[in-house]
Amino acid sequence: MKNPIKQIILFFKNLYKNYKFNKLNKKLGAVAKKKVDERLQLRYEVTKYIRSFAKLDKDNKSKFIPLDFKTKELIRFNVEEKFGQDMSKLNVRLNKKLQVI
Protein backbone atom coordinates (compact mmCIF):
# COMPACT_ATOMS: atom_id res chain seq x y z
CA MET A 1 0.00 0.00 0.00
CA LYS A 2 1.25 3.46 -0.90
CA ASN A 3 1.99 6.16 1.53
CA PRO A 4 -1.22 8.20 2.26
CA ILE A 5 0.61 11.47 1.65
CA LYS A 6 1.68 10.27 -1.81
CA GLN A 7 -1.89 9.22 -2.56
CA ILE A 8 -3.22 12.64 -1.63
CA ILE A 9 -0.56 14.37 -3.74
CA LEU A 10 -1.32 12.11 -6.71
CA PHE A 11 -5.06 12.74 -6.30
CA PHE A 12 -4.65 16.50 -6.50
CA LYS A 13 -2.08 16.22 -9.27
CA ASN A 14 -4.50 14.12 -11.37
CA LEU A 15 -7.38 16.44 -10.52
CA TYR A 16 -5.38 19.44 -11.78
CA LYS A 17 -4.29 17.55 -14.91
CA ASN A 18 -7.88 16.58 -15.75
CA TYR A 19 -9.03 20.17 -15.21
CA LYS A 20 -6.31 21.45 -17.54
CA PHE A 21 -7.10 18.89 -20.26
CA ASN A 22 -10.84 19.55 -20.09
CA LYS A 23 -10.16 23.25 -20.50
CA LEU A 24 -7.99 22.56 -23.57
CA ASN A 25 -10.58 20.19 -25.06
CA LYS A 26 -13.22 22.92 -25.02
CA LYS A 27 -10.91 25.25 -26.94
CA LEU A 28 -9.91 22.51 -29.39
CA GLY A 29 -13.52 21.71 -30.19
CA ALA A 30 -14.27 25.32 -31.10
CA VAL A 31 -11.10 25.69 -33.19
CA ALA A 32 -11.71 22.39 -35.02
CA LYS A 33 -15.28 23.42 -35.87
CA LYS A 34 -14.05 26.78 -37.15
CA LYS A 35 -11.43 25.11 -39.36
CA VAL A 36 -13.96 22.66 -40.80
CA ASP A 37 -16.30 25.54 -41.58
CA GLU A 38 -13.49 27.46 -43.31
CA ARG A 39 -12.58 24.35 -45.31
CA LEU A 40 -16.18 23.85 -46.44
CA GLN A 41 -16.46 27.51 -47.43
CA LEU A 42 -13.23 27.31 -49.45
CA ARG A 43 -14.38 24.11 -51.17
CA TYR A 44 -17.65 25.83 -52.10
CA GLU A 45 -15.85 28.89 -53.49
CA VAL A 46 -13.39 26.81 -55.53
CA THR A 47 -16.16 24.62 -56.96
CA LYS A 48 -18.23 27.68 -57.81
CA TYR A 49 -15.22 29.29 -59.53
CA ILE A 50 -14.49 26.15 -61.56
CA ARG A 51 -18.11 25.85 -62.69
CA SER A 52 -18.32 29.49 -63.71
CA PHE A 53 -14.95 29.37 -65.50
CA ALA A 54 -15.68 26.26 -67.56
CA LYS A 55 -19.48 26.55 -67.70
CA LEU A 56 -19.96 23.16 -66.01
CA ASP A 57 -23.06 21.61 -64.51
CA LYS A 58 -23.18 19.97 -61.07
CA ASP A 59 -21.39 16.79 -62.27
CA ASN A 60 -18.42 18.78 -63.65
CA LYS A 61 -19.45 17.95 -67.22
CA SER A 62 -19.81 20.63 -69.83
CA LYS A 63 -23.19 20.88 -71.47
CA PHE A 64 -21.66 21.54 -74.86
CA ILE A 65 -17.98 20.61 -75.12
CA PRO A 66 -16.02 18.14 -72.97
CA LEU A 67 -12.95 19.58 -71.29
CA ASP A 68 -9.62 18.74 -72.86
CA PHE A 69 -6.28 18.51 -71.09
CA LYS A 70 -5.28 22.08 -71.93
CA THR A 71 -8.48 23.54 -70.46
CA LYS A 72 -8.16 21.45 -67.32
CA GLU A 73 -4.59 22.66 -66.81
CA LEU A 74 -5.70 26.26 -67.35
CA ILE A 75 -8.45 25.86 -64.75
CA ARG A 76 -6.03 24.20 -62.33
CA PHE A 77 -3.51 27.03 -62.80
CA ASN A 78 -6.14 29.72 -62.23
CA VAL A 79 -7.49 27.99 -59.13
CA GLU A 80 -3.97 27.60 -57.70
CA GLU A 81 -3.25 31.25 -58.43
CA LYS A 82 -6.47 32.54 -56.87
CA PHE A 83 -6.95 30.13 -53.93
CA GLY A 84 -3.48 28.55 -53.57
CA GLN A 85 -2.48 29.97 -50.20
CA ASP A 86 -5.82 29.21 -48.58
CA MET A 87 -5.85 25.73 -50.08
CA SER A 88 -2.42 24.88 -48.71
CA LYS A 89 -3.28 26.35 -45.30
CA LEU A 90 -6.53 24.36 -45.02
CA ASN A 91 -5.17 21.20 -46.74
CA VAL A 92 -7.60 21.28 -49.67
CA ARG A 93 -6.55 19.90 -53.07
CA LEU A 94 -7.82 19.38 -56.60
CA ASN A 95 -7.76 15.92 -58.15
CA LYS A 96 -7.37 15.14 -61.85
CA LYS A 97 -11.12 15.41 -62.44
CA LEU A 98 -11.11 18.94 -60.97
CA GLN A 99 -12.95 17.82 -57.86
CA VAL A 100 -12.09 19.48 -54.59
CA ILE A 101 -10.80 17.07 -51.96
Side-chain angles (χ1 to χ4, degrees), residues 10-26:
L10 284 175
F11 172 77
F12 284 110
K13 188 176 178 182
N14 288 335
L15 188 69
Y16 174 72
K17 195 185 304 183
N18 287 338
Y19 169 75
K20 189 169 67 172
F21 286 141
N22 286 336
K23 193 173 169 184
L24 283 174
N25 276 337
K26 288 179 185 176

Side-chain angles (χ1 to χ4, degrees), residues 6-45:
K6 279 187 177 180
Q7 286 181 342
I8 293 172
I9 290 172
L10 284 175
F11 172 77
F12 284 110
K13 188 176 178 182
N14 288 335
L15 188 69
Y16 174 72
K17 195 185 304 183
N18 287 338
Y19 169 75
K20 189 169 67 172
F21 286 141
N22 286 336
K23 193 173 169 184
L24 283 174
N25 276 337
K26 288 179 185 176
K27 289 181 182 178
L28 283 175
V31 170
K33 184 178 180 343
K34 182 180 175 187
K35 188 165 185 170
V36 167
D37 291 343
E38 288 176 358
R39 188 175 290 152
L40 287 174
Q41 181 65 30
L42 179 66
R43 288 178 68 178
Y44 172 75
E45 289 175 8

